[in-house]
Amino acid sequence: MEIRTIQITDTSMRDGEQTPGVRLGIQQKVEFARQLERLGVDVIEAGFPASSPGDRRAVEAVARAVSGCTVQALCRAVRGDVDAALEALGEAKHPCIHIFLASSPLHLQYKLKMTEEEALAAVADTVAYAKAACPQVQFSPEDATRSDFSFLCRMIETALSAGADGINIPDTVGYATPEEFADLIRRLYKEIPALSHAVVSVHCHDDLGLAVANSLAAVEAGASRVECTINGLGERAGNAALEEIVMALHVRRDVLGAETHINTKELIRTSRMAASLTAVAVPPGKAIVGQNAFSHESGIHQHGVLANRETYEIMRPADIGLDKNMLLLGKLSGRHAFSQRLEQLGYALDDKGIDATFHRFKEIADKKTAVTDEDIGAIVNEYLDGIHGKYWLESFQIQSGNHMKAMALLSLRDGEEVFTEAAPGDGPVDAAFNAIDRIAGRDDIKLESYEIRAVTEGTDALGEAKVKISAAGASFTGRGVSTDILKSSIKAYINAVNKCVAAQAEQEG
Ligand code: KIV
Ligand code: ZN
């Protein structure tokens, strides 16, 4: 059997960032992009530059940071979006503009309020406009699986005639079934001869839990590229999980007849980094990268695996880079061992970053028996998220009890100055947040959400707090980690306020 090579587009930083509550900072995207490059993805979709100045800067930074793969930026079918994407991709070695416009009657009528002819004209105009300035252009007819087939063909033909090199077929709402989706791909190839000269990609959502099955069915029907995300991150129920697509193609190339360029040994590292950066935990039973994916609980299974691992294992833990022999770091570990572990976890921090995170590691190692890789991920993230903060926590004191109103006294540093304020609140967290508002001189900040989770197990676990605040029509997320959950909450709130202050300063020029 001839084995085809399927290209992989990772859209964790674009569609994955549309996971509810997920926001990645520029430094976080750069670290993640470097890891995706090591993983061996063909294309990184780094963001949607026209959507915000932050996204534009993040795409710029990713375009500068990686050189071994294509960096793709998303645009609506409007010239302004293409201009923003071209600017952001300026330094990319292999740039790609990805234009999308819906092709389904539902989207055209209710969302876009456009006629079919207007939609075709917008596709022709923006694809040609992008192609004049960028070597690679991909076009996606959004909601393709709920579109009228003949109009879908017209839209794809229009994009190809205008110069698109790639066509991406999205199952935007995760509506298709595998047979139906494969049939759609086959019919498109048959109906549009020019499609055989283009890169045909698919982009499946998981609303019915069929995203991976649909993507693989499309590969069998001839698609040559799959858009997916690490850990299946993405809008609503998420996108097809990259690690599942890659390992299915790897383990079952005998029937699927295809492989990828992915270095599978980087999968677990990438998955853990994504979980840590996004603070979206991987469910234990998740295929390939879940904590239980390679554990054998029942006696019969354990016996079988000990006799011959193939009785119950279709792939080896080492195939995805699971190394059970990594030493745990603790308070006696030095800077060298720590920086080596950072490297093993896929983080490439500069000396300043290593110093800062090593300092935090030492503080935490003093309070915890063993510092796990998840803890280190949380420490690095907190650092990446807060690199350019205005306010820093100096000290806090909080009094609270069941017969008194909580009272917080906080000191924050802003450059050379330290500001102190006291504030009451409904509980210790509320009091601390009120004191921060007073120091920042803000009475317009609204707390949208507040979450706290234990990074690992045990009473000495690190607590990671995430907050979302809104002010002046925009929202900002913040995160903080500490073995003390009040401290992590305060740090998370300061982090969000810092982002809000920075965004407003930028707006004011
Ligand atoms: O789901 C979708 O249709 C998309 C497009 C922008 C490709 O994300
Ligand atoms: Zn999508």
Side-chain angles (χ1 to χ4, degrees), residues 11 14-15 18 170-172 203-205 227 235-236 238-239:
T11 183
R14 199 279 297 167
D15 213 319
Q18 291 170 219
D171 182 23
T172 303
H203 173 112
C204 298
H205 279 270
E227 279 197 7
E235 185 83 39
R236 303 182 312 280
N239 289 66

Side-chain angles (χ1 to χ4, degrees), residues 11 14-15 18 45 48 74-75 98-101 107 138-144 168-174 203-205 227 235-236 239:
T11 183
R14 199 279 297 167
D15 213 319
Q18 291 170 219
E45 185 158 79
F48 185 175
L74 186 72
C75 314
H98 178 190
I99 298 171
F100 76 101
L101 186 69
H107 280 232
Q138 171 174 276
F139 174 73
S140 290
E142 190 190 9
D143 205 17
N168 178 46
I169 308 295
D171 182 23
T172 303
V173 289
H203 173 112
C204 298
H205 279 270
E227 279 197 7
E235 185 83 39
R236 303 182 312 280
N239 289 66

Side-chain angles (χ1 to χ4, degrees), residues 466-483:
K466 276 203 323 176
V467 302
K468 186 167 168 197
I469 59 169
S470 63
S475 59
F476 306 89
T477 54
R479 123 175 43 214
V481 285
S482 170
T483 46

Side-chain angles (χ1 to χ4, degrees), residues 235-447:
E235 185 83 39
R236 303 182 312 280
N239 289 66
L242 181 147
E243 60 280 3
E244 295 180 26
I245 304 273
V246 166
M247 289 313 282
L249 291 174
H250 183 64
V251 174
R252 298 313 313 273
R253 61 189 168 282
D254 56 335
V255 290
L256 297 168
E259 260 281 20
T260 67
H261 286 132
I262 297 295
N263 175 3
T264 63
K265 292 193 161 45
E266 291 291 335
L267 282 172
I268 193 74
R269 205 194 309 267
T270 319
S271 161
R272 287 182 178 168
M273 187 186 269
S276 177
L277 289 170
T278 58
V280 177
V282 177
K286 163 92 178 56
I288 317 293
V289 291
Q291 201 187 315
N292 299 343
F294 291 94
S295 17
H296 303 278
E297 185 72 18
S298 100
I300 296 177
H301 286 215
Q302 288 174 352
H303 174 78
V305 169
L306 287 175
N308 179 341
R309 62 159 202 91
E310 285 182 16
T311 49
Y312 288 104
E313 274 185 13
I314 56 166
M315 54 201 154
R316 276 177 246 256
D319 294 344
I320 62 155
L322 256 181
D323 176 1
K324 297 228 162 80
N325 298 323
M326 288 233 274
L327 293 174
L328 276 182
L329 298 183
K331 65 177 181 185
L332 298 178
S333 308
R335 189 183 185 281
H336 182 66
F338 177 75
S339 71
Q340 261 190 339
R341 180 58 55 87
L342 284 182
E343 229 175 82
Q344 284 165 350
L345 294 176
Y347 295 104
L349 300 187
D350 57 16
D351 277 349
K352 194 168 150 241
I354 297 174
D355 284 345
T357 50
F358 180 60
H359 180 71
R360 284 290 288 135
F361 161 77
K362 279 294 201 188
E363 280 176 358
I364 286 162
D366 255 348
K367 301 194 180 105
K368 264 187 117 234
T369 1
V371 183
T372 66
D373 291 346
E374 284 81 6
D375 293 333
I376 295 176
I379 294 170
V380 173
N381 258 314
E382 184 191 48
Y383 167 74
L384 293 173
D385 220 359
I387 282 179
H388 306 294
K390 174 176 165 71
Y391 297 112
W392 294 85
L393 177 63
E394 274 286 308
S395 64
F396 70 93
Q397 268 180 43
I398 299 183
Q399 279 187 325
S400 139
N402 57 346
H403 294 301
M404 63 176 288
K405 194 156 178 76
M407 195 71 193
L409 179 70
L410 255 95
S411 295
L412 303 190
R413 175 175 289 281
D414 175 5
E416 293 301 305
E417 284 182 272
V418 174
F419 299 91
T420 302
E421 283 287 349
D426 293 332
V429 173
D430 187 48
F433 291 1
N434 289 340
I436 296 169
D437 286 348
R438 284 189 181 176
I439 292 175
R442 314 281 308 222
D443 56 10
D444 60 333
I445 294 179
K446 189 165 166 255
L447 181 66

